[in-house]
């Protein structure tokens, strides 16, 4: 909005006070504006007036010098302003201003709202294909989330099974036909489609702290068959609820199919945590059989961790029943809240945990002692999140309360007496974020790309394969000299992209659509894909 006063229409003068009206005018001057200059004979000409400078110099000379000095100062100020690059999450946004995304940097960008904030969610695999089949637009995403209703509205909490459709591609009117960067498989007729969010509700009486989905094909190895989909939700009450949402997903795309109250009942309730709520939860990786055996023979395992530092293991039996703690006791070793759990992508009995006690611990479920095999201090603050690379099983990423995220080579973690490990050096470590890291996740098919969400309202995308060119950077510094932006100098070359999202809590890569990310926070859900990944 302009700060200048609005001009009056038709050039009319402003209304006078008390209804006064201007007197008659001649040549644009009113009668009471005509005055007599009693000093009109003091100077013979305007030239003489201009020569009468207060410092003994002509006014024109003095004013020219002042204007030149003012211009120099303005040039310096302009250059300084040009060097002040706005960096989301770092540069403070002035009051009353909002950030507007550069749409040319996105291939897709959508925001969707839920009845209450959902601070945890998981993307659900579908039968729409992988790879090239997912490059067509509009896109569709299936997901599950748990709400965090306001105090006093606990009974309004629910688990939401969602279908997001008509997620269109960004309209690029300046994109020329036949451009090499254009996607031949895109349905450009759908760029203007309005996104649709459909939901099926499973009522709960408590807030959801964390929710994750587990899927196996119902007929074996054929990925085009419908999946058997279960969810586990850690509740604020301390319970863990396991649901079968397979039918909820099928209702979206099967006309005439309905749900009744029985479909919303949990398959199992885990009560081992008592009244200790938790935030750490992970299903064992889905391992599809290579033959025609029924996928039900691949029984899932579920890890859950609480604020008391305890980790429980729950497994499903061939009969479909659930058992917690086959050895009769939980895994213990953390001295504070367990914030994250993640199964190894290559060893079925191994998992990692992150804790407020600043450590990451490696465990083996076959151990009857229920003690960690390795314990590594990876930060001086709370370790909030971790992610184990599915492509390279010795790579682990962590995110901490001080805003630092790091990548670790597990081959360098060697146990010493007592199971402890001296703090090793990370493969890479970045302090770009200025608030706690709330989510970190490796790209599902690229072991060098990582997505990080933080409390500074940003999601950053990184490529660890990028190596800084010191010679080129030195040349740039020499060329730009004092005009070089110091804020930009502090940005690591591995940083690909920064996405702004208010109160973002979690972000996940879509497992089937390369480069697509979904995130959730206080402002709702965001689904986007950048031109960088």
């Amino acid at each position: 909005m302009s700060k200048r006063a609005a001009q009056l229409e038709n050039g009319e003068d402003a209304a006078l006070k008390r209804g006064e009206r201007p007197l008659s005018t001649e040549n644009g001057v009113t009668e009471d504006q005509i005055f007599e200059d009693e000093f009109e004979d003091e100077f013979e000409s305007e030239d003489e007036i201009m020569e009468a400078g207060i410092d003994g110099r002509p006014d024109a000379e003095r004013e020219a010098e002042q204007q030149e000095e003012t211009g120099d100062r303005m040039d310096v100020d302009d250059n300084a302003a040009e060097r002040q690059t706005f960096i989301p999450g770092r540069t403070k946004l002035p009051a009353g201003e909002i950030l507007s995304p550069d749409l040319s940097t996105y291939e897709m960008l959508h925001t969707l709202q839920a009845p209450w904030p959902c601070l945890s969610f998981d993307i659900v695999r579908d039968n729409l294909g992988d790879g090239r089949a997912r490059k067509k637009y509009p896109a569709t995403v299936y997901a599950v989330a748990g709400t965090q209703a306001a105090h006093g509205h606990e009974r309004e909490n629910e688990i939401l099974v969602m279908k997001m459709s008509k997620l269109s591609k960004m309209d690029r009117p300046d994109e020329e036909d036949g451009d090499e960067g254009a996607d031949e498989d895109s349905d450009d007729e759908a760029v203007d489609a309005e996104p649709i969010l459909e939901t099926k509700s499973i009522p709960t009486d408590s807030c959801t702290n964390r929710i994750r989905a587990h899927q196996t094909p119902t007929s074996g190895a054929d990925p085009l068959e419908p999946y058997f989909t279960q969810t586990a939700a850690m509740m604020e009450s301390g319970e863990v609820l396991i649901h079968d949402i397979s039918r909820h997903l099928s209702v979206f795309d099967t006309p005439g199919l309905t749900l009744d109250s029985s479909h919303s009942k949990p398959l199992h309730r885990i009560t081992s945590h008592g009244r200790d709520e938790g935030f750490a939860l992970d299903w064992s990786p889905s391992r599809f059989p290579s033959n025609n055996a029924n996928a039900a023979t691949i029984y899932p395992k579920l890890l859950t961790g609480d604020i008391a530092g305890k980790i429980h293991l729950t497994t499903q039996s061939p009969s479909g029943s659930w058992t917690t703690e086959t050895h009769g006791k939980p895994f213990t070793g953390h001295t504070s809240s367990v914030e994250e759990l993640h199964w190894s992508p290559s060893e079925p009995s191994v998992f990692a945990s992150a804790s407020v006690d600043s450590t990451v611990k490696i465990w083996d479920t076959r151990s009857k002692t229920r003690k960690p095999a390795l314990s590594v201090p990876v930060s001086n603050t709370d370790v909030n999140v971790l992610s184990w690379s599915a492509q390279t099983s010795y790579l682990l990423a962590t995110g901490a309360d001080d805003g630092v995220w790091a990548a670790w080579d597990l081959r360098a973690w060697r146990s010493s007496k007592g199971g402890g490990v001296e703090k090793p050096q990370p493969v890479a470590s970045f302090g770009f974020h200025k608030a706690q890291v709330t989510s970190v996740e490796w790209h599902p098919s690229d072991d060098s790309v990582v997505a990080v969400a933080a409390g500074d309202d940003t999601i950053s995308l990184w490529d660890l394969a990028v190596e800084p060119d010191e010679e080129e950077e030195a040349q740039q510094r020499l060329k730009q000299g004092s005009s070089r932006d110091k804020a930009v100098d502090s940005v690591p070359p591995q940083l690909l992209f920064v996405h702004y999202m208010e109160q973002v809590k979690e972000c996940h890569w879509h497992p089937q659509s390369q480069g697509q990310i979904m995130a959730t926070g206080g402002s709702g859900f965001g689904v986007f894909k950048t031109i960088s990944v």
Side-chain angles (χ1 to χ4, degrees):
M1 180 181 293
S2 174
K3 294 182 179 179
R4 294 176 297 177
Q7 295 180 352
L8 298 176
E9 297 182 358
N10 303 324
E12 296 178 357
D13 295 333
L16 302 177
K17 293 181 180 180
R18 302 180 184 276
E20 295 177 348
R21 294 291 181 269
L23 301 176
S24 60
T25 62
E26 181 177 358
N27 296 328
V29 181
T30 62
E31 291 178 2
D32 62 344
Q33 289 176 324
I34 301 175
F35 61 92
E36 194 175 301
D37 185 5
E38 58 183 356
F39 303 107
E40 61 181 350
D41 294 331
E42 185 171 345
F43 299 102
E44 293 184 358
S45 69
E46 293 182 359
D47 291 338
E48 291 182 339
I49 297 176
M50 297 299 294
E51 291 293 335
I54 60 175
D55 58 357
R57 294 185 300 162
D59 287 345
E61 179 182 335
R62 185 178 64 258
E63 290 175 357
E65 182 178 333
Q66 292 175 347
Q67 184 175 3
E68 182 178 353
E69 292 176 355
T70 303
D72 291 341
R73 288 196 298 270
M74 291 179 63
D75 290 342
V76 173
D77 292 342
D78 289 344
N79 290 336
E82 291 175 0
R83 293 196 300 270
Q84 294 176 355
T85 303
F86 187 95
I87 302 177
R90 285 192 165 192
T91 308
K92 186 176 180 180
L93 190 68
E97 294 188 7
I98 60 174
L99 285 180
S100 179
D102 181 357
L103 300 182
S104 66
T105 62
Y106 291 88
E107 185 174 310
M108 179 179 69
L109 176 61
H110 294 284
T111 301
L112 303 100
Q113 297 290 335
W116 292 104
C118 298
L119 304 187
S120 181
F121 78 101
D122 203 7
I123 296 176
V124 177
R125 293 182 65 93
D126 54 52
N127 59 354
L128 300 179
D130 298 72
R132 191 174 183 83
R134 301 308 288 251
K135 292 184 178 181
K136 294 182 179 181
Y137 286 90
T140 299
V141 178
Y142 296 85
V144 61
T147 63
Q148 288 259 344
H151 181 69
H153 296 266
E154 287 82 4
R155 292 191 175 277
E156 297 179 27
N157 278 299
E158 56 190 346
I159 293 174
L160 294 175
V161 184
M162 301 178 289
K163 177 185 178 182
M164 290 158 279
S165 57
K166 300 296 182 182
L167 301 175
S168 58
K169 183 180 180 181
M170 300 300 299
D171 187 8
R172 303 182 188 278
D174 57 340
E175 191 175 81
E176 297 181 0
D177 294 338
D179 187 355
E180 293 181 359
D183 185 0
E184 297 178 357
D185 292 331
S186 295
D187 183 1
D188 293 329
E189 296 180 358
V191 294
D192 295 326
E194 289 293 329
I196 298 174
L197 173 61
E198 301 173 74
T199 64
K200 301 300 177 185
S201 173
I202 299 176
T204 63
D205 56 3
S206 181
C207 295
T208 300
N209 291 341
R210 186 68 60 89
I211 188 167
R212 293 292 182 262
H214 182 275
Q215 295 179 280
T216 53
T218 56
S219 60
D222 186 356
L224 297 180
E225 292 292 328
Y227 290 97
F228 175 56
T229 306
Q230 299 178 99
T231 61
M234 293 203 71
M235 314 306 292
E236 192 176 46
S237 63
E239 278 191 318
V240 180
L241 304 181
I242 298 176
H243 289 89
D244 177 5
I245 64 166
S246 304
R247 190 176 181 91
H248 297 76
L249 293 168
S250 299
V251 165
F252 291 127
D253 305 307
T254 308
L257 191 63
T258 60
L259 294 169
D260 56 44
S261 59
S262 65
H263 296 111
S264 296
K265 292 181 179 179
L267 298 177
H268 182 65
R269 293 175 182 264
I270 300 175
T271 59
S272 304
H273 296 279
R275 299 185 65 85
D276 292 327
E277 65 176 321
F279 300 89
L281 179 151
D282 194 38
W283 288 99
S284 57
S286 298
R287 304 181 188 279
F288 302 151
S290 58
N291 52 32
N292 293 326
N294 193 289
T297 59
I298 310 299
Y299 304 111
K301 296 180 292 184
L302 179 66
L303 290 167
T304 54
D306 58 36
I307 59 175
K310 296 183 174 124
I311 301 171
H312 294 270
L313 174 64
T314 301
T315 57
Q316 189 177 23
S317 68
S319 64
S321 62
W322 297 83
T323 303
T324 300
E325 313 309 345
T326 55
H327 289 286
K329 58 183 179 180
F331 296 90
T332 57
H334 283 296
T335 58
S336 192
S337 174
V338 179
E339 299 292 287
E340 184 78 279
L341 291 163
H342 207 295
W343 286 96
S344 165
S346 59
E347 299 181 70
S349 63
V350 176
F351 69 91
S353 61
S355 171
V356 172
D357 64 14
S358 305
T359 68
V360 168
K361 299 185 188 298
I362 307 298
W363 312 73
D364 193 326
T365 59
R366 296 169 297 183
S367 170
K368 295 184 179 181
T369 65
R370 295 316 217 204
K371 297 295 182 181
L374 291 174
S375 181
V376 183
V378 299
S379 176
N380 295 322
T381 61
D382 303 357
V383 185
N384 299 325
V385 289
L386 64 80
S387 177
W388 210 321
S389 172
Q391 294 296 311
T392 306
S393 60
Y394 57 79
L395 289 178
L396 192 77
T398 59
D401 230 30
D402 57 3
V404 175
W405 80 271
W408 306 85
D409 186 340
L410 297 180
R411 297 173 298 181
W413 291 13
R414 295 288 185 267
S415 62
S416 60
K417 191 174 182 180
V421 176
E422 293 184 6
K423 184 177 180 181
Q425 292 299 313
V427 175
S429 179
F430 302 97
F432 173 79
H433 290 286
K434 299 307 177 185
Q436 73 276 12
V437 176
T438 60
S439 184
V440 62
E441 186 167 288
W442 291 95
H443 190 286
S445 60
D446 190 331
D447 62 0
S448 68
V449 177
V450 182
V452 180
D456 55 13
D457 298 334
T458 62
I459 299 172
S460 57
L461 306 183
W462 303 78
D463 188 350
L464 301 182
V466 175
E467 297 182 0
D469 189 329
E470 296 181 359
E471 182 178 350
E472 181 179 353
E473 289 182 356
Q475 292 177 352
Q476 287 289 338
R477 284 193 294 269
L478 183 63
K479 180 179 179 180
Q480 296 178 3
S482 60
S483 65
R484 187 171 178 86
D485 191 337
K486 295 182 179 179
V488 174
D489 280 346
S490 66
V491 175
Q494 293 85 358
L495 179 61
L496 298 179
F497 197 89
V498 179
H499 173 77
Y500 180 82
M501 183 176 181
E502 292 184 359
Q503 302 175 31
V504 60
K505 294 299 181 183
E506 276 190 7
C507 65
H508 298 299
W509 298 97
H510 196 293
Q512 296 169 278
S513 182
Q514 186 173 3
Q516 186 182 114
I517 292 177
M518 182 175 173
T520 186
S523 59
F525 297 104
V527 182
F528 65 93
K529 183 177 181 180
T530 76
I531 61 175
S532 302
V533 180

